[in-house]
Each structure stands twice: as structure tokens, then as C-alpha cells.
Amino acid sequence: MSNSPVTESTADRARARKAVLAASLGNALEWYDIILFAFLASTIQAVFYPGKDFASVLMTWATFGITFVVRPLGAVLIGNYSDRHGRKAALSLTIGLMTLGVFIIVVLPGANVLGIWAAVILAVARIIQGISAGGEFGSATAFLTENAKRGKAFYASFQVATQGVSLILAAGIAWLLTSTLSTEAMQSWGWRLAFAFGLLIGPVGWYIRTKMSDTPEFEAATPVQAPVATLLKEHFGRLVSAFFIIAMATISFYLITYLPSYSRANLGLPAWAAFPGAVVAGVVVLIGSPFVGLLADKVGPTRVMLPATIVGVIIGWPMFQLLTNSPSVLILTLCEVLVGILCCFYFAPMPALLSDFFPVTVRGSGMTIAYAFGVAIFGGFAPLILASLINATKVLTVPGFYYAAMCVLSLIGVIAARKVFAQR
């Protein structure tokens, strides 16, 4: 991001604001569905994987994680499509696929009707969503930053702010339903109602995206014939650094989504215990992200992100030590809010940093591939990894160690971005 002044007209600001709306709706749908699935994991287990053994738990989290297995495929396909045919075309495709996946889940009968085929079709729906999600982040971030002449970190931070909205909605709806409906009603129709809410977002987001023009930067550039090959050949070091940078951002969200299951299974807290903290964390991310974006525009993203990684390394284990020694809704809420604050300061500047990391001709591919692999490895399978480790070791502070380790990886990535690739 250049320090030289850039002239911005009223039309430029209007274009950037429309880009925020177009990108945010699809991003909100993607994250609402992902977070909701994790929050309702116990109900989904009862509907599609009936049984109370650990294998049923693993199958549920494996279905949650399957979207992250196919994300890299979606990243390569849609990132390449974005760099060759434009950000608008890629974003229209991703929101269409995501809406289709949500629709299948809403109307899908459970195992009591379809038997094993219910789980198979659920996995297919999650695969469709995973391909969509693999291309969403990079294409949407490029769309935001390439439509903004000034304040790129501010506008890109709405990628994160809308995830805060998704966290609030998913946690709030899950909290409302689990605290007011019986177990039978929740398993019968309550969970479908929660997912059906996402269908209200999809068509609106698709319509707005199709009405937008493509970005000035993309239209001014000459697309390369093989964006992914060019990326791997000429920018591999940047790709690896970006991959590490994503670790802390993704584990922050997936740790919060894992806590409802963790607190009920391991701490004896009620099913709704983790939802108040998740709502507050979502509010922190929603409100705080644009302000952190403004700060990053002034001082540079890396100067904001580095302190957040260091604090994350320091507090990871003590946070869970406190929670396991004094399990309560208050302490759990405090832990979630702390993670939300660190997520805000780290995640909000990250999209602008990654966008500036790659040339426009490979920007879509670079961000989607780095993000998809990072989310898949560091975040998407975190609930499955943590549940397995806790089951094997009986150590309840494992999530704190895992969180700290992800922060260390991101610290290395941000330092490389600053020292090796001269990012602000």
C-alpha cells in the first residue's frame, strides 16, 4: 500500500461502498452457515449420525471439516476463474453455489428417513459449499481493495466485520432455539429453521453482485493465461508467507465455534453456555474491525498484527487453564471475548495485507489458494483435531496450546511479510 496521496472522487467512494455491500452479503452467508453448523453440531449428530459413541462425534466433525478438504480445489478453480474472467464473475458463481448447498441442507431428511444416504447427501452439500468458500475470500477481498482508491485496509476490513455479523446471527439464533425448544423439536425442525435463515441472504447477494461492474484494476490489467502456474513459479515465497499469516485469523473463529461442544462435553456447562460470549465476540469483531482497518491504513497492517500475535502466544494456555479450573458461563464468556478482541486486531488488517501481497494478475489465485489451504489445515479441522487430542490425552487445556501454536505460525508469517517482502 503506497504512502503517496491518492485523489478520490465522490464516484470512487460510491463504487467502494457498493463493493462493500456486494462482497459482504456473500461473505455473511458463507460464514453464517459454517459457524451455525459448528454451533448445532450436537443436533446435527443426532439427526444424521444417531448414536452417543465417539465415532458419531468424529463423523459429525468430519462432515464439518469436509468443506475444508475441498476448499483448495475451489480456490484453484475459482481463483483461476477470477484472474482470467473477473472478480464479478467469480463472486456471482460463489454465492450461487453456497446458496445451493444451504438449500440442500434445509430440505434434506434425516437418517431416520434416508438411512446412510442422508449423511452422504449432507456431505455432497458440504462439498458444494466448500468449493464455493474456497474461492470466496480471495475474490471478495480483491473486489473490495481494487474498488477502493484510498483506505484499502478500511474497506477490506468489512470482510472481517461481516464475519462478526455472521457470528452474532449464528450464535443468537442457536442460543434462542436451544434455550426455547425441546430436544425433540430442535432435532425435528428447529435446526432447519436456523439454516433456512441463510436462504434469505443468498438471492439478494447474488442479485447485487450481478449488477456490479468489475474492478478498475482488473479491467486495466492484461490477464495472464495461466494464473496459478505464474503464481507458483514467480510468487511461491509470498504464497507460503500468506499461508502462515492466515493461521491465527482462522483459529480464532473456529475456536469460538468449537467452544459450545467443548464446554458441554468437558466442563459440564449447559448447551447455551458458550453462545453469550460468542455474541459479544461477534459484536467486538463487527464494530471494531473498521476502526482497526483505519488504523492499519495509517500505520500499516503488519504493525497492528504483530502485537496481536504476541499476545495470542502468551495468553493461549493460561486462558484455558483458568477456564478448566473455574468453569462457568462468566469465565467462558471472558475467554471468548478475549479471542474476539485479538481476532479483531489481527484479522481486520489481514485482507488488505494479502491483497497488496500479490500482483493484480494473480491476486485472486494467490489469496484464494493461501486462504483455502490455511483455513483447511489450521482452522477447519481444528474441532476434529482438538476433540481427538482431548479424547486421547484427557488434557482439557489442549485448545490453549493449539491456539498459541497457530499464533506462533502467524508471527513467523507476518515477520516474513515485513522483513522479506517489505510490507508495511
Side-chain angles (χ1 to χ4, degrees), residues 93-272:
L93 176 61
T94 58
I95 198 168
L97 289 173
M98 182 60 68
T99 304
L100 173 61
V102 175
F103 176 77
I104 293 173
I105 291 173
V106 169
V107 301
L108 179 62
N112 62 330
V113 176
L114 296 181
I116 193 173
W117 285 106
V120 172
I121 297 172
L122 177 64
V124 171
R126 299 291 291 169
I127 288 170
I128 293 171
Q129 292 177 315
I131 292 173
S132 167
E136 173 70 22
F137 176 83
S139 301
T141 300
F143 191 71
L144 285 169
T145 57
E146 291 173 8
N147 269 305
K149 282 194 172 183
R150 296 178 61 187
K152 290 182 180 291
F154 169 72
Y155 286 113
S157 72
F158 282 91
Q159 275 280 81
V160 183
T162 53
Q163 293 183 21
V165 174
S166 300
L167 184 57
I168 294 168
L169 289 175
I173 290 173
W175 183 8
L176 175 64
L177 292 177
T178 55
S179 60
T180 58
L181 297 181
S182 66
T183 301
E184 292 75 17
M186 193 66 193
Q187 294 176 6
S188 175
W189 56 268
W191 70 275
R192 297 182 191 277
L193 182 63
F195 279 98
F197 181 79
L199 290 177
L200 301 177
I201 305 173
V204 176
W206 181 84
Y207 176 81
I208 292 175
R209 287 183 173 187
T210 57
K211 295 302 179 181
M212 290 287 294
S213 57
D214 225 317
T215 70
E217 287 187 40
F218 177 81
E219 291 178 338
T222 302
V224 296
Q225 289 300 311
V228 175
T230 302
L231 172 72
L232 296 176
K233 181 180 180 180
E234 300 179 11
H235 307 286
F236 186 74
R238 293 176 181 269
L239 187 64
V240 173
S241 179
F243 171 69
F244 284 154
I245 286 169
I246 286 158
M248 181 178 175
T250 188
I251 190 55
S252 296
F253 265 93
Y254 290 111
L255 183 62
I256 292 174
T257 61
Y258 172 66
L259 284 176
S261 175
Y262 170 83
S263 61
R264 183 167 64 175
N266 300 292
L267 304 180
L269 295 176
W272 57 267

Side-chain angles (χ1 to χ4, degrees), residues 5-9 12 149-150:
V6 177
T7 303
E8 182 185 41
S9 67
D12 292 329
K149 282 194 172 183
R150 296 178 61 187

